[in-house]
């Protein structure tokens, strides 16, 4: 028997309906329609608020006819029927006009007092909302199927995401027909019956019936609860299985060796490790010694000292004769890491002489290197001469080979997912240990969902001697004079021997390029700060700012550097080096400085058009200052009026330096799609019913259940339906979701 889910709708519903579902909603199989859930349920007697209908949008509304007139058209042949409907809300009747051309049915059926569901695209005509030739269905039609008046009164009306061409009730009809055609009882239920019993959830066939044709509001509510939990369980089991499978793979054990590079490095460290660094260090040391791969996420505030922790882990592997790779999200960062690792290794960093006995060779590998440099690095990686290879995603390309890769460290990267890990894994016989580092604090359930197959460690404290960063919102609209004051303030820092970052949202003078190709903003939760359809003047750009600062009297005589993602690699490196060495006083840059850039002498950060950035991003950015024992200042400059919703974000950042608090605030303000990255790729959001924050509890429960299932039945042999649901979930289109792990 062909799987019920795979049956073609054209065989079950008839060609015409099936074609519409296919053309307008992309639904072709029984399973796809079954899983196309109503977006909400209307109650009988409930009318749609007409005043809130969005214009130029396909809508489904319930309304009562208050007036209907028909007349012969003067300019054209035929009759026009004008129907005025109202929502009768608050007594203040909001009305809308519906115009039908040559519809005798409408003229006959839509008499005053009739309640009907209408569907069409909202337009405006003479200042009033209108629908032209809307599709409609009379609401007492259900009486035809013999339901009693009371049953009818309780029966919710499912409202499906629909289009003007395929109204909600036609989807509802098709779904109802489908339910009658299928042998629902034979659908395998992904939820184990024990769990169904534990949470009192309906079985699959009942749940489908209740979600598509609920007899009462309780029915759809319980069905929804079931599907939410099912979704959470499928996802968490997928992650748990992945984690378990992973744990079985062989890896290269690198037990710590006394008297090696790591000990020498520790002996020369200019500071003592924080308690957290020591603890995490011990965890990593123990896991690296195992012959199954470590898979760990290291969270820690900007400046909490993650890099030292990672470097110590790398040295442990090198001490054992293995290699470590450090992956950075941008070339600038890769260059910085390369420099700072060599700096902190000091004499332990060996120059590239093959066969030299002591020290470790560190090489850099990026896409923009000259072919000579690149070849030298490639050779050092492949021969095993280089113990530590620092690079960008170029490290993942096929022609990069390692002699004995034992550890991969991924810095500040949310986009390093399954595919990338597999690419790296292909580079060595054994699975390398993996350490992912992020400075964006992640609430527990998000971590569980997005990084569900990684163990998590957190550095909670900052190293001692870190100076607090004072953050101020500078509103130019109410304080135009501040526009100049900022630069006088910058001058004070420069005169004191300090340095200044100036961050702009755009690169070119045109302002059309929002953000920076190399920046992480689409990948982090920072995101763009502009609301949908929010048209604004072009963002302040690096180009325009450099030109302006060159003319700024307060800054006369100071040197200004430029850094953004569109510079060639060597130019970027030079700009960064000049700033790091103090040769430039001010660095005008895009968010390319957002992560990891470390210039301790920088004390002031001016963020222009700060309202264009997200909370997490602003927090990351300001972490660039106050790193060298001098107090740091961050100015969030905005020309939005006070009270503008986007300014609330700036106030939030100014009010707290606790990344965790801010991340939570940030999340509350954003939609799920942004968190999980599904919408960015233009694909449908992968989570259908679950909301990572709202449904934290469901997710936690599902995770615990999933871990138990996998511990008990690692291959999911006894959970065939669940396994099938996971496979369906992990179809290529949905992988974007797990990729972020
Ligand atoms: P993160 O990557 O977590 O933002 P880094 O590893 O770049 O932080 O560390 C920030 C700065 O703090 C670096 O200059 C580093 O040398 C320094 N640092 C790290 N650990 C300590 C410590 N325990 N005590 C003092 N300074 C430290
Ligand atoms: Mg860092």
């Amino acid at each position: 028997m062909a799987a019920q889910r795979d049956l073609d709708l054209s065989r079950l519903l008839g060609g015409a309906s099936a074609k519409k579902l296919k053309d307008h909603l992309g639904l072709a199989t029984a399973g796809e329609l079954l899983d196309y859930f109503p977006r909400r349920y209307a109650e009988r007697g409930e009318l749609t608020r007409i005043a809130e209908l969005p214009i130029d949008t396909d809508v489904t509304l319930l309304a009562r006819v208050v007036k209907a007139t028909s007349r012969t058209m003067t300019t054209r042949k035929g009759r026009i029927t004008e129907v005025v409907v109202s929502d009768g809300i608050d007594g203040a009747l909001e009305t809308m006009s519906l115009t039908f051309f040559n519809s005798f049915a409408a003229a006959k059926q839509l008499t005053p007092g009739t309640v009907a569901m209408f569907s069409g695209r909202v337009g405006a005509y003479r200042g009033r909302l209108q629908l032209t030739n809307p599709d409609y269905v009379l609401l007492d039609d259900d009486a035809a199927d013999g339901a009693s008046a009371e049953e009818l009164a309780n029966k919710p009306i499912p409202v499906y995401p629909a289009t003007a061409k395929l109204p909600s009730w036609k989807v509802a009809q098709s779904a109802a027909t489908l339910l009658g055609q299928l042998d629902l009882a034979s659908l395998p239920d992904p939820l184990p019956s024990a769990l169904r019993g534990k949470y009192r959830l309906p079985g699959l066939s009942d749940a489908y019936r209740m979600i598509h044709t609920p007899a009462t509001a309780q029915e759809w509510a319980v069905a929804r609860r079931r599907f939410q939990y099912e979704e959470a369980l499928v996802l968490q089991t997928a992650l748990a299985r992945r984690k378990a499978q992973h744990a079985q793979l062989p890896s290269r054990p690198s037990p710590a060796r006394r008297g090696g590079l790591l000990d020498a490095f520790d002996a020369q460290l200019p500071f003592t490790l924080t308690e957290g660094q020591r603890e995490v260090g011990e965890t990593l040391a123990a896991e690296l010694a195992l012959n199954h791969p470590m898979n760990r996420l290291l969270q820690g505030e900007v400046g909490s000292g993650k890099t030292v922790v990672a470097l110590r882990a790398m040295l442990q592997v090198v001490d054992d004769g293995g290699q470590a790779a450090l992956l950075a999200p941008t070339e600038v960062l890769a260059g910085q890491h390369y420099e700072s690792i060599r700096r902190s290794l000091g004499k332990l960093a060996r120059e590239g002489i093959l066969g030299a006995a002591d020290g470790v060779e560190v090489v850099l590998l990026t896409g923009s290197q000259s072919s000579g440099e690149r070849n030298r690095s490639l050779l050092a990686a492949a021969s095993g001469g280089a113990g530590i290879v620092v690079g960008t995603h170029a490290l993942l390309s096929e022609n990069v080979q390692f002699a004995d890769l034992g550890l991969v460290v991924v810095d500040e990267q949310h986009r390093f997912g399954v595919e990338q890990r597999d690419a790296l894994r292909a580079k060595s016989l054994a699975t390398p240990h993996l350490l992912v580092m992020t400075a964006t604090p992640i609430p527990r359930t998000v971590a569980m969902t997005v990084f569900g197959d990684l163990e998590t460690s957190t550095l909670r404290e900052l190293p001692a001697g870190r100076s607090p960063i004072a953050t101020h919102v500078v509103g130019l609209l109410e304080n135009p004079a501040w526009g100049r004051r900022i630069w006088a303030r910058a001058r004070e820092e420069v005169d004191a021997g300090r340095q200044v970052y100036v961050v702009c949202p755009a690169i070119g003078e045109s302002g059309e390029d929002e953000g920076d190709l190399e920046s992480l903003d689409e990948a982090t939760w920072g995101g763009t700060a502009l609301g949908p359809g929010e048209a604004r003047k072009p963002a302040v750009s690096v180009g325009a700012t450099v030109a302006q600062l060159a003319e700024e009297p307060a800054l006369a005589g100071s040197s200004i550097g430029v850094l953004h993602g569109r510079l060639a690699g060597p130019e970027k490196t030079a700009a960064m080096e000049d700033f790091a060495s103090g040769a430039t006083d001010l660095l005008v840059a895009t968010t390319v400085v957002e992560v990891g850039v470390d210039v301790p002498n920088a004390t002031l950060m001016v963020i222009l058009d700060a309202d264009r950035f997200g909370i997490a991003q602003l927090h990351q950015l300001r972490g660039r200052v106050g790193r060298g024992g001098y107090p740091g200042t961050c100015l969030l400059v905005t020309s939005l009026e006070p009270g503008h919703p986007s300014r609330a974000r700036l106030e939030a950042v100014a009010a707290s330096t606790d990344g965790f608090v801010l991340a939570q605030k940030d999340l509350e303000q954003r939609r799920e799609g942004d968190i999980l990255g599904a919408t960015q790729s233009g694909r449908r959001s992968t989570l259908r019913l679950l909301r990572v924050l709202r449904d934290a509890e469901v997710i936690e429960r599902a995770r615990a259940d999933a871990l138990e299932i996998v511990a008990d039945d690692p291959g999911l042999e006894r959970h065939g339906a669940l396994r099938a649901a996971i496979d369906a979930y992990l179809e290529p289109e949905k992988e974007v979701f797990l990729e972020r792990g």
Side-chain angles (χ1 to χ4, degrees), residues 186-252:
S186 76
L187 286 179
D189 189 341
L191 282 192
S193 57
L195 290 175
R196 266 190 341 247
K198 177 170 158 194
Y199 301 119
R200 295 163 192 253
L201 297 171
L204 187 61
S205 57
D206 285 341
Y208 273 135
R209 189 188 55 71
M210 294 192 285
I211 205 143
H212 288 291
T213 57
T216 61
Q218 287 88 325
E219 283 202 348
W220 67 252
V222 76
R224 234 180 215 221
R225 207 153 61 72
R226 181 221 133 93
F227 285 115
Q228 266 173 4
Y229 174 75
E230 176 185 326
E231 190 174 353
L233 187 75
V234 166
L235 177 56
Q236 292 299 336
T237 309
L239 292 165
R241 184 180 60 168
R242 191 180 163 80
K243 188 167 162 179
Q245 285 169 343
H246 229 139
Q248 297 305 312
L249 296 173
S251 71
R252 178 191 201 295

Side-chain angles (χ1 to χ4, degrees), residues 479-545:
N479 262 322
W482 261 97
R484 309 294 300 280
R485 256 303 279 151
I486 296 167
W487 307 122
R489 180 77 182 68
R491 181 54 182 251
E492 288 165 21
E493 294 298 319
V494 172
D495 285 345
R498 306 279 90 82
Q499 289 165 280
V500 180
Y501 290 103
V502 181
V503 177
C504 309
I507 300 176
E509 296 211 35
S510 64
E512 86 234 3
D513 31 34
E514 297 262 340
D516 193 309
L517 293 175
E518 270 217 354
S519 91
L520 282 180
D521 35 73
E522 334 92 78
T524 63
W525 307 338
T528 170
L530 274 188
E534 205 174 330
R536 289 198 18 211
K537 66 178 174 55
V540 171
S541 70
V542 170
T545 305

Side-chain angles (χ1 to χ4, degrees), residues 68-74 76-83 98-103 107 133:
T69 51
S70 256
R71 59 183 162 79
T72 310
M73 283 185 280
T74 47
R76 279 195 272 165
K77 266 178 84 163
R79 287 181 75 72
I80 181 168
T81 303
E82 282 192 279
V83 175
L98 316 179
T99 311
F100 296 89
F101 295 102
N102 296 324
S103 169
N133 278 335

Side-chain angles (χ1 to χ4, degrees), residues 271-272 274 277 301-308 463 466 598 627:
F271 45 74
T272 36
T274 64
Q277 283 172 323
E301 272 289 339
V302 170
S304 59
K306 296 182 292 295
T307 315
V308 183
R466 206 46 65 76
D598 192 12
R627 294 167 80 91

Side-chain angles (χ1 to χ4, degrees), residues 32-66:
E32 286 166 1
L33 179 54
L34 281 176
D35 289 334
Y36 193 76
F37 295 163
R39 184 180 45 209
R40 62 186 187 89
Y41 299 83
E43 283 170 33
R44 291 187 196 244
E46 165 195 323
L47 300 180
T48 309
R49 284 183 178 270
I50 289 173
E52 287 169 11
L53 290 176
I55 226 158
D56 278 341
T57 309
D58 293 339
V59 299
T60 301
L61 75 145
L62 279 90
R64 172 173 286 116
V65 176
V66 291

Side-chain angles (χ1 to χ4, degrees), residues 302 332-333 336 340 343 466 497-501 563 573 575-587 593 595-605 621-632:
V302 170
V332 168
L333 259 168
Q336 282 249 313
S340 86
R343 230 182 3 254
R466 206 46 65 76
R498 306 279 90 82
Q499 289 165 280
V500 180
Y501 290 103
L563 181 65
T573 312
M576 211 49 240
E577 276 169 4
D578 285 348
F579 193 63
S581 71
T584 39
D585 301 313
L586 290 93
L587 183 64
V593 298
V595 281
V597 171
D598 192 12
V599 177
N601 193 44
T603 47
L604 174 65
M605 168 156 292
L621 281 168
R622 76 175 155 184
R624 304 298 114 216
V625 295
R627 294 167 80 91
Y630 314 107

